Amino acid sequence: MKIFNSINEFCNSQLDIESFVPTMGNLHEGHLSLINTAKKNSKNICVSIYVNKNQFTNKKDFDSYPITLDEDIYKLEKAGVNYLLNPCKDDIENNSSPFDAKFEPKYLTNDLCGKYRKGHFLAVMDIVHRLFQIVNPKNIILGEKDYQQIFVIKELIEIYNYNIKIITSPTIREKGSGLALSSRNSLLTAEQKKMASEIYKALQLSAILYADNVPLDQIKDKIYEIFEQLPIEIEYFTFRDLKTLQQANDNDLIALIAGYLGNVRLIDNIIVKSKTNL
Ligand code: PAF
């Protein structure tokens, strides 16, 4: 794997990247499955590691974000990645133009997670826009765990008319507990990890209840009731249209959840379908 710390060197190499996997490092099986998805679809794969401070809406969250560059490089080498782009802030900013905030799709960026993390998705749009200018890939590989992020990047691609295809990859879960893999899980104690598995259990229950034709409002009440008894503070639990992420009461839906366990913010989702579609 060739490692680029300099954007000039990266661009001068004219790499013709097929699939791009942007990350903030602290790589886990979830990232490796994105890389596997990339490998199934393409040959020339570039992973980026850049911890984008602007997208952290909580200073503590940024300060505690785990940095594990040596381990990450080892994992990427083993996974057969071709290029790692590991740039610094100034280098990125000097070699790309920012996302123009007048295009911000506020209906999306201020919704769900964006309602609780002001400015988060605008900062994601900015960094991905900058990375697109530098990497110029044919595909971007994104995880379904960050379901709203997929829609945000879809908007970015439409706004700037990028010829980039989004390839999504399923959420990877811990065996047994079902906890969705996330870099933030490493901040949880063993006890908290056990507790965090209640999030996926609740999502599974919501899918079962929906398949049993229980009305959405009743399912929501049930899920909020469950978390009242647990030390997980729910920000939102809701159903949305699977294909548009907009409010919906029928069709194929996705249930999305976000909450805090201690200082750690966790998100997850599950696709739910009506009985007739199962
Ligand atoms: O999903 C992430 O890890 C980040 O939001 C991304 C896409 C790398 C942008 O910083």
Side-chain angles (χ1 to χ4, degrees):
M1 178 175 73
K2 175 124 182 70
I3 301 175
F4 293 92
N5 296 309
S6 144
I7 291 178
N8 245 335
E9 197 194 338
F10 182 89
C11 293
N12 288 341
S13 303
Q14 301 188 330
L15 299 171
D16 198 15
I17 301 299
E18 268 186 84
S19 287
F20 175 44
V21 186
T23 81
M24 299 203 298
N26 193 235
L27 304 179
H28 50 64
E29 287 300 320
H31 296 108
L32 298 180
S33 94
L34 297 182
I35 291 164
N36 270 335
T37 301
K39 279 165 81 178
K40 277 187 210 139
N41 287 280
S42 47
K43 286 197 185 76
N44 250 0
I45 298 163
C46 173
V47 172
S48 66
I49 295 182
Y50 177 67
V51 186
N52 180 30
K53 188 173 180 182
N54 293 342
Q55 77 184 65
F56 287 79
T57 44
N58 175 328
K59 190 178 174 308
K60 263 198 204 143
D61 195 18
F62 174 72
D63 289 342
S64 62
Y65 195 84
I67 307 287
T68 51
L69 186 60
D70 289 345
E71 287 98 318
D72 292 348
I73 290 174
Y74 176 76
K75 287 176 189 171
L76 293 174
E77 296 264 15
K78 231 172 121 192
V81 167
N82 308 87
Y83 308 107
L84 168 62
L85 179 63
N86 180 40
C88 68
K89 185 173 188 287
D90 287 350
D91 207 10
I92 294 182
E93 289 180 0
N94 293 336
N95 284 288
S96 60
S97 24
F99 176 78
D100 188 338
K102 75 168 183 275
F103 296 130
E104 181 181 5
K106 291 197 176 140
Y107 79 94
L108 180 62
T109 54
N110 289 338
D111 191 19
L112 300 168
C113 286
K115 188 169 162 194
Y116 299 90
R117 305 185 73 194
K118 293 274 178 237
H120 167 74
F121 285 119
L122 182 59
V124 169
M125 290 184 101
D126 182 62
I127 189 62
V128 176
H129 176 50
R130 288 176 179 281
L131 290 168
F132 277 171
Q133 292 165 60
I134 295 160
V135 178
N136 192 21
K138 293 190 176 55
N139 309 313
I140 179 169
I141 318 292
L142 297 169
E144 286 169 9
K145 183 179 148 289
D146 298 308
Y147 202 71
Q148 191 176 4
Q149 178 167 269
I150 297 172
F151 285 79
V152 167
I153 294 176
K154 194 166 166 249
E155 285 274 351
L156 171 70
I157 289 173
E158 276 164 24
I159 291 166
Y160 284 95
N161 217 359
Y162 280 117
N163 190 11
I164 297 174
K165 184 174 155 203
I166 296 179
I167 298 176
T168 60
S169 195
T171 303
I172 304 297
R173 302 183 177 280
E174 274 190 3
K175 286 193 184 72
S177 75
L179 174 64
L181 292 195
S182 160
S183 299
R184 290 190 175 84
N185 292 357
S186 63
L187 304 170
L188 298 171
T189 62
E191 199 58 28
Q192 282 178 319
K193 262 196 180 177
K194 257 196 216 154
M195 179 55 63
S197 67
E198 295 300 328
I199 291 180
Y200 186 52
K201 279 192 208 150
L203 287 175
Q204 284 177 306
L205 176 64
S206 72
I208 291 168
L209 294 176
Y210 183 68
D212 274 349
N213 295 320
V214 177
L216 295 183
D217 281 349
Q218 280 180 33
I219 303 176
K220 278 189 207 163
D221 289 348
K222 175 81 199 150
I223 300 299
Y224 275 99
E225 219 174 84
I226 289 173
F227 284 104
E228 267 169 29
Q229 319 298 321
L230 299 173
I232 299 176
E233 205 176 305
I234 295 303
E235 272 183 348
Y236 67 79
F237 168 80
T238 191
F239 292 95
R240 290 296 175 90
D241 185 282
L242 182 66
K243 295 194 182 71
T244 65
L245 206 60
Q246 298 305 296
Q247 307 277 358
N249 294 312
D250 50 19
N251 302 323
D252 289 346
L253 303 181
I254 183 163
L256 304 117
I257 193 166
Y260 274 90
L261 177 50
N263 291 326
V264 183
R265 189 172 187 277
L266 299 167
I267 60 170
D268 202 353
N269 61 66
I270 195 168
I271 292 171
V272 296
K273 289 181 186 236
S274 66
K275 216 170 198 170
T276 45
N277 290 336
L278 280 175

